[in-house]
Amino acid sequence: IVYADFLYLNDEAIKSIEIALPSMSKENTKATNISLLEVMIKAAIDANAMGNAKYYYQNLINLDSTPDALSEDVSIKIYYDLIN
């Protein structure tokens, strides 16, 4: 998670996703998978990969129906795109 965050913060959105995505696992804690999804959502938005961002957001909502405020703010556009 730390390296994926680092890449995202250094404008390496695609590389961030490439690191975070294979790290997703049923064996991870729920909190770990939530953190990975949060990074992937932000990175996908920055990479203009809205289809991927929507997919990651749906997975986040499945894990945590009330995501933290930052994730919710970042994902608000995705949510409105899903319902429209």
Side-chain angles (χ1 to χ4, degrees):
I1 298 170
V2 173
Y3 188 51
D5 277 329
F6 172 80
L7 290 169
Y8 169 72
L9 293 171
N10 284 286
D11 296 322
E12 297 284 347
I14 299 296
K15 288 182 182 178
S16 176
I17 294 169
E18 290 172 349
I19 295 298
L21 187 58
S23 300
M24 292 288 299
S25 172
K26 291 181 181 179
E27 283 132 29
N28 289 347
T29 65
K30 183 177 174 180
T32 297
N33 282 335
I34 288 170
S35 294
L36 288 165
L37 285 165
E38 290 171 345
V39 170
M40 291 190 299
I41 291 166
K42 293 183 283 187
I45 290 169
D46 284 2
N48 292 319
M50 292 307 292
N52 290 33
K54 290 177 187 179
Y55 176 77
Y56 303 145
Y57 183 72
Q58 284 292 356
N59 281 285
L60 176 63
I61 295 301
N62 289 338
L63 285 177
D64 183 6
S65 61
T66 56
D68 68 33
L70 176 60
S71 296
E72 194 170 346
D73 288 343
V74 168
S75 304
I76 196 121
K77 181 180 180 354
I78 295 168
Y79 174 76
Y80 284 114
D81 285 349
L82 288 173
I83 61 172
N84 291 323

